Amino acid sequence: MKLILPPYAEVDGVARGPHKRQAEFHALEQRIKMYRGGVGAGKSLAGSREMMATVLEDLQHSQQLGGADLGGALYLVGAPSYDMIDVGPWFHIVQWLDAFERVNSFKLEKRRWESHPRRIELITGQVLKFLSVDNPSKWAAATACSAWLDESELAKEPMAAFRTLQSRLRDNRVHSHKMIVTSSPRGARGCAQWFADKIAADDPDFGLVVGSTLDNPGNPSSYVADMLKSMSERERKQQIEAALLSTDNAIYQEEFHESQSIDHKWKYQRGGSQQYNLAIDWGGHYHALLISYDPNTDTDTVIDEWTATGVQDEEFCQKVVEGCRDRWALRPGDITEVIADYHPRAANYVAYSVWRGKVKNRRVRDNEDRWSRINTTRWRLKEAATGKRRLLFHPNLRSTKSKRGVLRSIANYSLSERMVEGQRVTLDRPIQDSPFSHSMDALGLYNWIRYSHLRFYDRRAVGVAA
């Protein structure tokens, strides 16, 4: 029986074929291939079709050999979390199967398991299993035919995830074991850099397609323009153009400028529209920032800071209250919002009693939340679409005596490193035990809680379901 493959997409009920980059990806003959693309470039859609094409190719090959039994043949589909599985691979493969039924007038799937780890069994006996690569215990003993790793660069260890999936490909009932990788880059690291190196070395096993968000004609006309309004310049290059950016460790190097990020025009005002907010990071090394917000220009200016080590929560809050009063004639009732670290809870209870009804916080659950916080701050430092800077700093902060002052911290806040086989490798998370992390945690949380909801493509934005 000749099977009809479903169209790549349907728009207003009209079948649409693949766009150029998706077609190039499908045409790659290498057994290990990657589609590195921008947000909305169609990577997961391409990956789902490539996986299902692989499943049908294996079926066709077995039929050519006289109908070899493929009962229980396993195909692994991985992503960094089950949330990503749901909105990416699972969504697209289920859509593909539904479309297959429409165009062929029969169902290819036999049954599906909706709870995690999700599974789909086909009428051919082949099974697709959807797993979180950051929880590898679920598939450590698997024997698989082929595998697809979606959003590889968001994994804690992208290459470790790739290697673990690849090591499962040992079912000899199929003629070829394929590894499919789809992701946006996250710096010059992980699978993205490794594939680029393999292509540069002309490794015949590896194929790579790089696609921009602009390549996908299925996106609404305003899609990219709306994203650019809430992106930093670094995010534009990486998340739109899928560029491999230098992994220089300084997190805010491209957005913070030693002179352009300094607000020389800021003037103190009482009354009117000017608002005054606090951002606080608790712990053994306390840090608080006083931030002036001008709603007329949507601009924040950090105008003062206080640090302390080894004090009680009550002592630090009192120090901030006295500093606001003595330097700026601001009493607790004059503060509009206090954005404070979620932990420890005891410190927040003290803050609740000092700034009644003004304290907000949100727990940072994982590294993806942390990156949402960082990228929101990058955007406020410098917007990609206009170059406008909405996060500035008072020049007096240059004279802060503390060695972990906010201006020194923003220049030195860096990604973690570790030694791997004698080489220094940059990791996908900031150094959390650095003296420069405290003011950056306070500032990042402030921006995340107040502004991340404006970044419509950021699924970890505060107020957006993760």
Side-chain angles (χ1 to χ4, degrees), residues 205-457:
D205 285 336
F206 287 78
L208 173 66
V209 167
V210 179
S212 163
T213 307
L214 298 169
D215 291 333
N216 188 354
N219 290 327
S221 58
S222 62
Y223 181 71
V224 174
D226 288 341
M227 281 202 296
L228 287 174
K229 292 176 184 176
S230 57
M231 277 185 167
S232 67
E233 180 63 15
R234 184 194 317 237
E235 285 183 295
R236 182 191 67 78
K237 294 176 182 177
Q238 184 167 269
Q239 302 289 69
I240 299 294
E241 299 175 6
L244 284 181
L245 301 182
S246 169
T247 49
D248 190 295
N249 285 9
I251 289 173
Y252 295 118
Q253 178 181 359
E254 291 197 23
E255 293 79 25
F256 174 76
H257 194 279
E258 290 286 350
S259 58
Q260 295 176 15
S261 293
I262 304 301
D263 192 349
H264 294 279
K265 297 180 180 179
W266 184 86
K267 294 187 181 300
Y268 176 67
Q269 299 176 23
R270 284 299 304 273
S273 60
Q274 200 83 8
Q275 300 174 11
Y276 294 91
N277 303 311
L278 289 168
I280 302 176
D281 183 55
W282 310 110
H285 303 283
Y286 294 79
H287 208 123
L289 304 171
L290 179 62
I291 303 172
S292 169
Y293 175 68
D294 184 351
N296 296 318
T297 60
D298 185 29
T299 302
D300 286 292
T301 302
V302 182
I303 61 173
D304 210 341
E305 62 184 329
W306 295 272
T307 63
T309 301
V311 300
Q312 299 297 313
D313 302 330
E314 293 85 351
E315 292 179 72
F316 185 68
C317 286
Q318 188 59 33
K319 179 177 182 176
V320 175
V321 168
E322 292 173 356
C324 289
R325 181 193 63 204
D326 297 343
R327 297 184 197 178
W328 306 100
L330 295 172
R331 300 187 179 277
D334 298 320
I335 301 298
T336 301
E337 282 188 337
V338 178
I339 309 296
D341 189 3
Y342 184 85
H343 294 294
R345 301 306 296 155
N348 282 287
Y349 297 146
V350 174
Y352 297 154
S353 66
V354 175
W355 296 282
R356 295 182 182 278
K358 301 175 183 292
V359 180
K360 294 182 178 180
N361 46 50
R362 176 161 174 116
R363 182 167 58 90
V364 178
R365 298 163 293 179
D366 53 26
N367 200 45
E368 195 176 351
D369 274 358
R370 194 171 291 114
W371 273 105
S372 176
R373 189 176 67 179
I374 288 170
N375 285 326
T376 303
T377 302
R378 283 173 168 170
W379 165 54
R380 295 291 292 179
L381 283 166
K382 187 179 180 181
E383 180 187 295
T386 63
K388 182 174 177 58
R389 298 180 184 275
R390 291 186 171 84
L391 175 58
L392 301 168
F393 302 84
H394 195 284
N396 288 348
L397 293 170
R398 288 172 169 163
S399 60
T400 298
K401 294 180 180 179
S402 172
K403 293 182 179 180
R404 55 185 175 95
V406 66
L407 289 181
R408 181 175 294 192
S409 295
I410 202 168
N412 290 280
Y413 188 47
S414 302
L415 295 174
S416 301
E417 294 181 335
R418 78 180 211 187
M419 297 300 293
V420 177
E421 298 179 353
Q423 294 188 353
R424 192 174 298 276
V425 176
T426 302
L427 303 181
D428 190 33
R429 50 187 174 272
I431 303 172
Q432 284 303 111
D433 56 357
S434 161
F436 307 119
S437 67
H438 306 293
S439 64
M440 294 299 95
D441 285 348
L443 189 62
L445 193 66
Y446 177 86
N447 289 304
W448 193 44
I449 288 178
R450 285 174 60 90
Y451 305 114
S452 64
H453 68 282
L454 301 175
R455 290 161 44 84
F456 80 95
Y457 78 100

Side-chain angles (χ1 to χ4, degrees), residues 120-181:
I120 295 175
E121 182 183 0
L122 305 180
I123 59 175
T124 59
Q126 294 157 291
V127 176
L128 294 120
K129 192 171 185 180
F130 300 76
L131 300 157
S132 166
V133 296
D134 286 343
N135 182 19
S137 61
K138 296 285 187 181
W139 40 273
T143 295
C145 300
S146 291
W148 168 29
L149 175 56
D150 191 40
E151 296 294 0
S152 62
E153 306 313 280
L154 292 178
K156 293 176 183 176
E157 299 284 351
M159 283 307 303
F162 177 91
R163 294 290 192 197
T164 307
L165 275 176
Q166 188 182 40
S167 69
R168 302 296 97 200
L169 307 186
R170 54 194 184 188
D171 190 328
N172 291 325
R173 289 178 290 175
V174 296
H175 66 295
S176 176
H177 299 117
K178 292 186 179 180
M179 272 297 302
I180 303 161
V181 182

